[in-house]
Amino acid sequence: MTYPSNIRIVKVPCTGRVAIIHLMKTLEKGADGVFVAGCMEGDCHFQEGNLRAKKRVAYVRQLLESIGMEPDRVAMYNLSSGEGPRFAEISREMTDKIRQLGPNPVRVKGETKERAA
Amino acid sequence: MIMAKPKPIEEIINEIKNFDNILVAGCNGCVAVCEAGGLKEVEILASALRMYFGNQQKKIEIGEVSLTRQCDKEYLAELKDRIGAYDAVVSIACGAGVQFMAEMYNKMRVFPGVNTCFIGVTDEKGVWSERCQACGACILASTGGICPVARCSKRILNGPCGGSSNGKCEIDKEVPCGWQLIYDRLKELGELWRFEEPTTTKDWLTSRDGGPRKLFKEASQI
């Protein structure tokens, strides 16, 4: 049941709450990768929040590719809330995948600044 | 409303790569509704650009703003005290907004971040389609509220043509024949007699054929 300690969990009421900008900001702020853990497809309590999240994840992956970053830094998984061992498994899987990709280049190289206009 | 879609980010990057201070400016009007140029899209584009240039180890500052509209001077004027801090603007408003921004701040390089597509409607969330080509002389009264200029691929005024098949247009099986739609609507309205009164030659001078257009309403002027 143990999962990697380097994972930071952000709780949302439904993955349908996860917007494109949330995924972008995780990487811009230096996370090495991010995965969205949604309910099983067809089992969304809010009808189709997880299907919406799936489309947004796909959009971000495409956007990352277009700016020369590895799309695999962002992923979507589906599991039910009762599947603790599965959560641990996908956490390990994602962590291994990200470790292979290496650290987020934005954090390593980036010196960009953000400012409000 | 006016529909637009984001330009490929590579194209935007290519335009701005030599600048150090960029303002990404959105518009909360039409392009926000079609999810191409509102505040949300400003944030996403700015984030992607920061990551791209960060990876290139290029120091760049990227500001974010989204104006109520970019097609009105009053809203563009909100930038007048701070736009000087930037080298260039990526405007993700429609083509009118981009031009008005460039006109108002004529020393500033202003680059378009979207491709402006058409005047249309929201079919469903995430799906938009064309309805009007702003021809300047509306004939919807005689065509059952369906525009042959916008909905017929040939813009013919007395259709359908021979390319109409099973209600679809010859250009694409997914595109409904505009004139089939008009026929069906007029039939439903009991106005098929309108087909017996052919539309006369249209004066396209009110459309783009007359050159760039301008409108005046004296009562609105001050």
Side-chain angles (χ1 to χ4, degrees):
Chain A
M1 259 301 268
T2 56
Y3 63 87
S5 58
N6 54 358
I7 280 186
R8 185 174 299 174
I9 296 175
V10 178
K11 287 191 245 178
V12 286
C14 170
T15 51
R17 178 66 189 90
V18 180
I20 291 165
I21 191 65
H22 296 141
L23 300 173
M24 294 295 287
K25 282 290 177 191
T26 56
L27 297 175
E28 188 192 329
K29 298 287 181 190
D32 295 318
V34 54
F35 74 88
V36 179
C39 298
M40 299 298 286
E41 290 188 9
D43 273 349
C44 176
H45 182 68
F46 301 103
Q47 310 278 348
E48 46 192 56
N50 50 1
L51 300 179
R52 289 178 186 165
K54 183 184 180 182
K55 289 177 193 164
R56 291 166 194 165
V57 167
Y59 184 95
V60 172
R61 286 173 58 92
Q62 217 171 14
L63 190 52
L64 290 180
E65 200 160 11
S66 67
I67 57 170
M69 282 180 72
E70 304 91 344
D72 283 348
R73 291 190 185 275
V74 179
M76 172 98 196
Y77 287 98
N78 297 90
L79 71 166
S80 85
S81 57
E83 289 181 283
R86 174 69 183 142
F87 178 78
E89 187 185 324
I90 62 176
S91 300
R92 284 193 295 271
E93 189 181 307
M94 186 71 184
T95 308
D96 289 345
K97 201 196 292 180
I98 298 299
R99 194 162 281 134
Q100 279 170 21
L101 292 176
N104 179 351
V106 175
R107 191 182 69 241
V108 178
K109 300 178 188 170
E111 289 182 50
T112 58
K113 284 183 192 163
E114 181 180 0
R115 82 176 179 210
Chain B
M1 84 198 97
I2 295 168
M3 304 298 175
K5 67 175 182 183
K7 275 188 177 291
I9 197 160
E10 298 90 332
E11 193 180 326
I12 299 172
I13 288 167
N14 194 43
E15 295 293 351
I16 64 168
K17 62 182 180 221
N18 296 323
F19 296 95
D20 300 322
N21 293 285
I22 303 288
L23 176 64
V24 179
C27 174
N28 296 339
C30 311
V31 290
V33 181
C34 65
E35 301 187 29
L39 180 59
K40 278 200 305 191
E41 291 73 33
V42 165
E43 292 171 344
I44 293 164
L45 176 58
S47 177
L49 291 174
R50 271 185 213 108
M51 284 199 268
Y52 173 79
F53 287 114
N55 284 339
Q56 303 299 311
Q57 289 175 285
K58 176 179 165 56
K59 280 187 182 178
I60 189 166
E61 288 203 34
I62 297 176
E64 303 173 13
V65 73
S66 196
L67 303 172
T68 304
R69 284 194 294 277
Q70 287 194 27
C71 54
D72 273 314
K73 287 179 183 166
E74 290 81 354
Y75 299 114
L76 285 172
E78 290 172 11
L79 294 177
K80 75 174 173 359
D81 294 332
R82 40 194 169 153
I83 199 162
Y86 298 96
D87 307 324
V89 175
V90 174
S91 166
I92 56 173
C94 72
V98 175
Q99 290 184 62
F100 221 26
M101 173 82 80
E103 204 174 308
M104 187 142 171
Y105 300 108
N106 56 12
K107 291 200 174 72
M108 184 64 56
R109 300 297 308 272
V110 182
F111 299 104
V114 298
N115 288 322
T116 307
C117 301
F118 52 77
I119 300 175
V121 296
T122 307
D123 287 333
E124 59 186 90
K125 185 93 165 67
V127 182
W128 299 275
S129 63
E130 184 166 20
R131 287 291 186 279
C132 179
Q133 293 205 338
C135 73
C138 190
I139 55 167
L140 285 168
S142 60
T143 56
I146 294 162
C147 179
V149 177
R151 309 292 297 277
C152 167
S153 304
K154 291 177 177 170
R155 305 206 290 181
I156 55 176
L157 299 173
N158 294 285
C161 72
S164 177
S165 172
N166 297 319
K168 303 294 181 194
C169 175
E170 64 186 336
I171 65 153
D172 190 325
K173 282 181 198 150
E174 298 301 311
V175 175
C177 164
W179 275 101
Q180 181 73 49
L181 296 174
I182 293 170
Y183 177 84
D184 292 343
R185 178 77 59 78
L186 289 178
K187 190 176 178 188
E188 206 169 310
L189 295 171
E191 292 185 17
L192 280 179
W193 55 267
R194 288 188 184 274
F195 276 87
E196 292 168 20
E197 294 178 4
T199 307
T200 53
T201 312
K202 187 174 171 66
D203 180 2
W204 290 99
L205 278 177
T206 56
S207 185
R208 276 287 303 151
D209 297 33
R213 294 167 281 179
K214 200 158 178 134
L215 283 178
F216 298 94
K217 185 179 174 188
E218 204 176 344
S220 299
Q221 292 173 331
I222 34 177

